[in-house]
Amino acid sequence: MENVERFRQLLEEERGRKQALLSSLRQDIVSVNAAREGSNVDDEHDPEGSTIAFELSQASALLERSRSGLEQVEAALQRIADRSYGTCAVCGSAISEGRLEARPWTPFCINHASGRR
């Protein structure tokens, strides 16, 4: 692949964004837990809006999704290192640059991407 350095840069930038997001989400979870422990409010029946449990659930789901995304980016950087980047993990065909532009972490060509996002 000719433009591998450009994709490495895109992936490293994405890794930085995902790491920052993970750090922020972890801090949010700590804050919500602290609020929950220091509160005598029955958050399950609070008419003012979302419950602490809901906030915690949302933050935890985002954290898990972000971890998964970071793992995908790390795997793509490893494929660059072992020179398999840009090759479909299923059929071995080249992944189009347009697809890599949109999803630089993908290990699948467009034909094998269905259901694997």
Side-chain angles (χ1 to χ4, degrees), residues 3-4 26 35 40 60 66 76 98 103 105:
N3 296 319
V4 72
R26 284 186 195 106
N40 291 330
S60 295
S66 296
R103 299 178 65 85
W105 50 85

Side-chain angles (χ1 to χ4, degrees), residues 11 19 31 36 61 63 81-82 85 88 92 111:
L11 288 162
Q19 288 171 333
S31 297
R36 173 186 250 179
L63 182 69
D82 67 23
Y85 183 78
C88 179
N111 294 328

Side-chain angles (χ1 to χ4, degrees), residues 52-92:
I52 292 174
F54 177 78
E55 296 288 333
L56 195 55
S57 174
Q58 290 291 96
S60 295
L62 286 171
L63 182 69
E64 185 54 38
R65 189 171 192 176
S66 296
R67 275 188 194 135
S68 175
L70 181 58
E71 288 171 4
Q72 291 174 9
V73 168
E74 295 288 356
L77 287 166
Q78 183 58 48
R79 288 191 303 277
I80 287 174
D82 67 23
R83 298 181 179 204
S84 64
Y85 183 78
T87 302
C88 179
V90 175
C91 68

Side-chain angles (χ1 to χ4, degrees), residues 4-117:
V4 72
E5 284 305 313
R6 186 176 93 233
F7 290 112
R8 181 192 320 271
Q9 182 177 1
L10 288 172
L11 288 162
E12 288 175 353
E13 290 169 3
E14 184 66 19
R15 177 173 51 189
R17 283 189 293 274
K18 289 193 182 301
Q19 288 171 333
L21 178 60
L22 281 168
S23 177
S24 176
L25 288 168
R26 284 186 195 106
Q27 191 59 37
D28 288 349
I29 289 171
V30 167
S31 297
V32 170
N33 276 328
R36 173 186 250 179
E37 290 173 10
S39 174
N40 291 330
V41 175
D42 179 6
D43 67 313
E44 295 301 320
H45 299 95
D46 183 0
E48 297 299 318
S50 64
T51 65
I52 292 174
F54 177 78
E55 296 288 333
L56 195 55
S57 174
Q58 290 291 96
S60 295
L62 286 171
L63 182 69
E64 185 54 38
R65 189 171 192 176
S66 296
R67 275 188 194 135
S68 175
L70 181 58
E71 288 171 4
Q72 291 174 9
V73 168
E74 295 288 356
L77 287 166
Q78 183 58 48
R79 288 191 303 277
I80 287 174
D82 67 23
R83 298 181 179 204
S84 64
Y85 183 78
T87 302
C88 179
V90 175
C91 68
S93 297
I95 301 170
S96 72
E97 283 203 28
R99 177 151 172 76
L100 291 172
E101 286 285 340
R103 299 178 65 85
W105 50 85
T106 188
F108 306 110
C109 70
I110 194 72
N111 294 328
H112 293 103
S114 179
R116 298 180 185 242
R117 297 174 197 244

